[in-house]
Amino acid sequence: MFQGFLWGNFVKKSASFFLCLIILLAAGGFAFYLGWSQFKVEPGNVGILVSKTSGTNPVPITHDRFSWNWEFLIPTNASLLTFSPKPYTFEKVVGGVLPSGKEYEKVYGEAVDFSYSFVFSVTLKCTADEIASLVASKEISSQADLENLLERNALAACSAATNAAIVALEKGEVASVEGAKKIMEDAARNGVKNCSLESIEILSHSFPDIALYKSAKASYGDFVKKLEEAISEEARRAAEENSQISSAIKRMEILGETLKKYPELSDIIKNSNDVSKTLETINSMQ
């Protein structure tokens, strides 16, 4: 009977032990499930862990690499931001007028146009590490933010490429836009930040005659000088005309005062066939 009691007690303790073990295993499994981050990221995407306790985790989370993070064990403590690190392609148009081109156009009038236009196709991407850095610096917090950042960089790359082409052509380093492609590509790569330029292609372009532009630039000083001389001459003529008008008005005022003083002169002027003699008469009366 005593042996039966011992056996029963052993069974009860064993059952309690196994129950506790099962509870611990279940709790451990649940904790493992909560902290397992890998399965939360779709293949091809990258996840960035942001938590209240640890901030932004600099190590990107991908579907093909095991990742477990204790931050998920605390309710509402952590969130996983997912992004697509694939390349994005943008089509951008950059246009304008060569430096001081509108002024230089005046040398030839309406016969020339120093405006230019480029249509680019640009492909950029952000690596997983670059995305993690952007999230940590609070520059992006969603996929839409990432795409907007890439699009801004696309425009910056195109603008840098265009400016480099203009400088190279004006300095005579290259003879055509086609010859400036390498310079444009290098400038475009230097024009992007926090991402990488995969490719840049000129789909179409229109560019003015650079030799004519240089000629207009060289002649602009003489053009301005002639223009200033013409304006000065016109101002002199206008001043003379104004002086003559002022003199005539002054004489008319004197005549008016004279007629008020000598009303009988009105009849003389009306009946006179020789205005000059009449005026001489008026002058002799003053």
Side-chain angles (χ1 to χ4, degrees):
M1 184 175 181
F2 179 71
Q3 289 179 343
F5 172 77
L6 291 175
W7 175 252
N9 192 35
F10 173 76
V11 170
K12 288 180 180 180
K13 288 183 178 180
S14 296
S16 298
F17 172 76
F18 282 112
L19 180 61
C20 291
L21 182 61
I22 291 171
I23 292 172
L24 288 174
L25 289 173
F30 183 66
F32 178 80
Y33 171 78
L34 288 178
W36 189 19
S37 310
Q38 176 185 1
F39 80 97
K40 299 176 183 178
V41 181
E42 295 181 0
N45 284 356
V46 58
I48 306 298
L49 174 65
V50 180
S51 70
K52 297 175 184 176
T53 53
S54 305
T56 301
N57 192 326
V59 181
I61 299 171
T62 57
H63 188 79
D64 58 354
R65 185 174 61 188
F66 175 78
S67 177
W68 189 88
N69 303 93
W70 64 266
E71 289 89 347
F72 284 110
L73 301 182
I74 305 173
T76 71
N77 175 56
S79 60
L80 189 65
L81 306 179
T82 58
F83 301 88
S84 174
K86 69 179 182 179
Y88 286 84
T89 300
F90 304 92
E91 188 173 301
K92 292 294 176 185
V93 178
V94 178
V97 181
L98 293 179
S100 301
K102 283 296 181 185
E103 295 301 314
Y104 299 156
E105 285 175 5
K106 296 175 182 177
V107 175
Y108 297 105
E110 297 180 356
V112 298
D113 180 9
F114 292 135
S115 62
Y116 59 84
S117 177
F118 288 88
V119 180
F120 294 95
S121 176
V122 192
T123 301
L124 306 98
K125 68 174 293 185
C126 279
T127 64
D129 290 334
E130 286 170 336
I131 291 173
S133 177
L134 288 167
V135 173
S137 63
K138 302 187 184 306
E139 292 186 60
I140 63 172
S141 60
S142 66
Q143 178 64 27
D145 290 344
L146 174 61
E147 293 177 19
N148 288 335
L149 181 140
L150 289 172
E151 187 165 11
R152 291 195 300 273
N153 273 278
L155 182 57
C158 295
S159 297
T162 301
N163 292 336
I166 291 172
V167 171
L169 286 163
E170 190 175 358
K171 288 183 177 180
E173 296 174 358
V174 293
S176 65
V177 172
E178 288 71 19
K181 283 186 176 179
K182 180 65 170 62
I183 294 173
M184 295 174 75
E185 288 177 2
D186 292 342
R189 293 186 191 284
N190 293 329
V192 301
K193 296 179 180 179
N194 303 315
C195 62
S196 56
L197 179 70
E198 297 289 292
S199 66
I200 181 168
E201 180 184 359
I202 303 173
L203 300 180
S204 64
H205 75 276
S206 61
F207 202 83
D209 186 330
I210 199 68
L212 189 63
Y213 171 75
K214 288 181 178 180
S215 175
K217 182 178 180 180
S219 303
Y220 186 69
D222 292 336
F223 170 78
V224 171
K225 184 178 180 181
K226 290 179 180 178
L227 184 62
E228 288 175 346
E229 290 174 353
I231 292 172
S232 178
E233 178 62 21
E234 186 64 27
R236 185 189 65 77
R237 290 177 182 175
E240 285 183 359
E241 290 178 1
N242 289 336
S243 177
Q244 292 173 0
I245 292 171
S246 297
S247 178
I249 291 173
K250 187 174 182 180
R251 287 197 294 270
M252 291 297 290
E253 289 175 349
I254 293 172
L255 178 58
E257 292 297 325
T258 303
L259 291 174
K260 288 180 182 179
K261 189 174 181 181
Y262 305 104
E264 63 274 14
L265 290 177
S266 297
D267 295 332
I268 296 174
I269 293 174
K270 289 179 183 179
N271 298 322
S272 176
N273 294 324
D274 192 338
V275 177
S276 298
K277 289 183 178 180
T278 303
L279 291 176
E280 289 177 4
T281 302
I282 293 171
N283 288 332
S284 65
M285 294 173 66
Q286 293 180 356

